Amino acid sequence: MMKKSCSSQQYTFVDYFLKYFLFLCNLTFTILGLVVLGLGMWGLISKESFAQEQIGSIGTDPMLILVSLGFVLTLLCLSGCVGALRENCSLLKLFSAAVLMLITAQVLAAILAYSLQDQVGGYLRSGMLSAMVRYQDDLDLRFIVDEIQSNLQCCGAENYLDWEVNIYYNCSSPGVLACGVPATCCVDPLENGTVWNSQCGVGAQQLDEFTAQSVIFLGGCLGGISRWIEQHEGLIGTVAVVVLGVQILTVFISTRLLESIQWHKSDPVRTSSPVPPLNTVTSGCGKQKWRWP
């Protein structure tokens, strides 16, 4: 019995460390989730997505991804945060089960992506063309497409002629943008190095490749994305392993803390020791030795 009491005292510090470590980690990610949720809501409100004439298309709004991600992250980490602080077994079980489901979903998604890697290019092409179609009508999609084209120095999905799918850049359009491309396709969109020239891509689709290469980027963004992934596959793999490792560690800590809470509830450690008899002395972890009268 004395040996058991000694072990209980030894594990108390470890249990407290795991408890507050799990609490602080989940508190940090709860704040991060609230920030993401706030950004998503700010994006929806600033674009008046809740207006009566736009509420029908809110399901396809990219800001909804931020809202959903922030809400799930906040709810998940808050359950782990409160569960660790209050030593609530139900919340800790919920948190552990949710993280396990998340790990399983990520592993299955990685396996699915690897098995369908030949079809991923088709999905990317469809997504890129859909974003180009709605380029002028959706500020979020315009921002994403502009960032991809300017950072990867590309234009369109496979080449600059893909911009014909947009009704404003189609050659049959009566507007000034007809047969053109966005300014982010331009090699040098700045006039005199200072002023952004939004009309630098006007009429670019009418140019042959030899003439157009001095004005715009000819290569499509799908090839640029593939090259970027190949160049950074080591970094992507490292980040994926670290994220997965952190999640597994979180499950291990929460499970260990849950077992400790259940053990203490079933066999609580006494906070006060009985008064030893006069002919004994207490030393080290509650051990008693006889003392000669």
Side-chain angles (χ1 to χ4, degrees):
M1 293 296 295
M2 294 305 172
K3 184 177 181 180
K4 182 177 180 180
S5 178
C6 182
S7 299
S8 299
Q9 293 178 6
Q10 181 181 0
Y11 281 107
T12 300
F13 172 77
V14 176
D15 294 338
Y16 273 107
F17 173 77
L18 294 179
K19 171 183 176 179
Y20 288 106
F21 179 78
L22 185 64
F23 166 74
L24 291 176
C25 288
N26 279 286
L27 179 62
T28 302
F29 282 101
T30 299
I31 296 174
L32 178 62
L34 289 174
V35 171
V36 174
L37 178 62
L39 287 175
M41 292 300 298
W42 173 80
L44 291 175
I45 294 173
S46 63
K47 293 190 306 177
E48 299 182 353
S49 298
F50 296 106
Q52 185 175 1
E53 61 274 8
Q54 299 185 22
I55 193 68
S57 60
I58 194 174
T60 58
D61 197 312
M63 287 290 107
L64 197 62
I65 298 177
L66 289 181
V67 173
S68 302
L69 179 62
F71 178 76
V72 172
L73 184 61
T74 301
L75 189 63
L76 176 62
C77 295
L78 189 61
S79 64
C81 185
V82 177
L85 184 63
R86 302 294 299 175
E87 299 183 1
N88 189 300
C89 295
S90 299
L91 288 177
L92 286 176
K93 289 179 180 179
L94 176 64
F95 173 74
S96 300
V99 176
L100 278 175
M101 292 176 58
L102 183 61
I103 293 174
T104 304
Q106 291 173 348
V107 173
L108 291 177
I111 296 174
L112 184 63
Y114 181 79
S115 60
L116 299 177
Q117 56 182 337
D118 295 334
Q119 304 178 25
V120 171
Y123 296 139
L124 286 176
R125 184 178 186 277
S126 299
M128 186 72 182
L129 290 176
S130 299
M132 291 166 61
V133 169
R134 300 171 55 192
Y135 178 79
Q136 294 288 350
D137 303 320
D138 195 305
L139 296 178
D140 298 316
L141 290 178
R142 182 191 302 182
F143 173 79
I144 293 172
V145 172
D146 285 341
E147 286 296 308
I148 292 175
Q149 291 190 149
S150 59
N151 291 324
L152 297 181
Q153 296 184 349
C154 57
C155 186
E158 296 180 350
N159 55 61
Y160 66 102
L161 297 177
D162 289 336
W163 276 103
E164 192 174 358
V165 299
N166 187 281
I167 59 174
Y168 298 98
Y169 293 109
N170 190 284
C171 291
S172 61
S173 175
V176 68
L177 299 178
C179 271
V181 295
T184 50
C185 285
C186 297
V187 175
D188 186 15
L190 298 179
E191 287 185 353
N192 301 324
T194 55
V195 181
W196 181 266
N197 182 14
S198 60
Q199 305 296 322
C200 61
V202 171
Q205 294 185 46
Q206 296 176 327
L207 304 176
D208 59 85
E209 292 188 359
F210 180 78
T211 306
Q213 66 181 350
S214 61
V215 180
I216 60 174
F217 301 115
L218 301 182
C221 293
L222 295 181
I225 293 174
S226 299
R227 289 190 296 271
W228 186 89
I229 293 176
E230 291 176 357
Q231 293 172 358
H232 299 86
E233 58 183 4
L235 178 61
I236 295 174
T238 302
V239 171
V241 170
V242 169
V243 171
L244 189 62
V246 169
Q247 293 173 347
I248 294 175
L249 179 62
T250 302
V251 173
F252 171 77
I253 292 176
S254 59
T255 304
R256 174 68 181 85
L257 183 59
L258 184 61
E259 291 176 352
S260 175
I261 293 172
Q262 292 175 339
W263 188 89
H264 283 293
K265 285 184 177 180
S266 62
D267 187 14
V269 180
R270 295 180 179 179
T271 57
S272 60
S273 301
V275 179
L278 294 177
N279 60 346
T280 61
V281 293
T282 303
S283 63
C285 291
K287 294 182 179 180
Q288 297 179 348
K289 293 183 178 181
W290 290 99
R291 183 180 63 182
W292 291 97

